[in-house]
Coordinates of all heavy atoms in Angstrom, one line a residue:
A191 N 76.8 84.7 89.8 CA 75.5 84.9 90.4 C 75.1 86.4 90.6 O 76.0 87.2 90.6 CB 75.5 84.2 91.8
D202 N 78.3 75.1 99.9 CA 79.1 74.0 100.4 C 79.0 72.7 99.6 O 79.8 71.8 99.8 CB 78.6 73.7 101.9 CG 79.0 74.8 102.8 OD1 79.6 75.9 102.4 OD2 78.7 74.7 104.0
G208 N 85.0 73.3 99.2 CA 85.5 72.6 100.3 C 87.0 72.3 100.2 O 87.7 72.5 101.2
A211 N 88.9 75.5 100.9 CA 89.0 75.8 102.3 C 90.1 74.9 103.0 O 90.9 75.3 103.8 CB 87.7 75.7 103.0
D231 N 87.8 86.4 110.3 CA 87.7 85.7 109.0 C 86.8 86.7 108.2 O 85.6 86.7 108.3 CB 87.0 84.4 109.2 CG 86.9 83.6 107.9 OD1 87.2 84.1 106.8 OD2 86.5 82.4 107.9
T236 N 80.2 80.9 104.0 CA 79.4 79.9 104.8 C 80.2 79.3 106.0 O 79.7 78.5 106.7 CB 78.9 78.7 103.9 OG1 80.1 78.1 103.4 CG2 78.0 79.2 102.8
S244 N 88.2 77.0 114.0 CA 87.5 77.0 115.3 C 88.1 76.1 116.4 O 88.2 76.6 117.5 CB 86.0 76.7 115.1 OG 85.3 76.7 116.3
E261 N 73.8 82.9 107.4 CA 72.8 81.9 107.9 C 73.4 80.5 107.8 O 73.1 79.6 108.6 CB 71.5 82.1 107.1 CG 70.7 83.3 107.5 CD 69.5 83.6 106.6 OE1 69.3 82.8 105.7 OE2 68.9 84.6 106.8
R265 N 74.3 77.7 110.9 CA 73.9 76.3 111.0 C 75.0 75.3 111.4 O 74.8 74.2 111.9 CB 73.3 75.8 109.6 CG 72.0 76.5 109.3 CD 71.4 75.8 108.1 NE 70.1 76.4 107.9 CZ 69.7 77.2 106.9 NH1 70.5 77.4 105.9 NH2 68.5 77.7 106.8
L278 N 83.3 95.5 105.7 CA 84.4 96.0 106.5 C 84.6 97.4 106.2 O 84.9 97.8 105.0 CB 85.7 95.2 106.3 CG 86.9 95.6 107.1 CD1 86.5 95.3 108.6 CD2 88.1 94.7 106.7
F289 N 84.9 94.4 117.3 CA 86.1 95.0 116.8 C 86.8 95.8 117.9 O 87.8 96.6 117.5 CB 85.8 95.8 115.6 CG 85.4 94.9 114.4 CD1 84.1 94.6 114.2 CD2 86.3 94.4 113.5 CE1 83.7 93.8 113.2 CE2 86.0 93.6 112.5 CZ 84.6 93.3 112.3
I315 N 92.4 96.6 107.6 CA 92.9 95.3 108.2 C 94.2 95.6 108.9 O 94.4 95.1 110.0 CB 93.1 94.2 107.1 CG1 91.6 93.8 106.7 CG2 93.9 93.1 107.6 CD1 91.6 92.9 105.5
G338 N 87.7 88.6 90.5 CA 87.9 87.1 90.7 C 89.4 86.7 90.6 O 89.7 85.5 90.9
E343 N 102.2 91.1 91.6 CA 102.7 92.5 91.7 C 101.7 93.4 92.4 O 102.1 94.2 93.3 CB 103.0 93.0 90.3 CG 104.1 92.3 89.6 CD 103.6 91.0 88.9 OE1 102.4 90.8 88.8 OE2 104.5 90.2 88.6
Q347 N 102.3 95.2 96.0 CA 102.4 96.7 96.0 C 101.4 97.3 97.0 O 101.7 98.1 97.8 CB 102.1 97.2 94.6 CG 102.2 98.7 94.4 CD 100.9 99.4 94.7 OE1 99.8 98.9 94.4 NE2 100.9 100.6 95.4

Side-chain angles (χ1 to χ4, degrees):
D202 291 2
D231 186 351
T236 62
S244 179
E261 286 171 4
R265 290 190 175 116
L278 185 60
F289 293 88
I315 289 171
E343 298 79 16
Q347 182 273 323

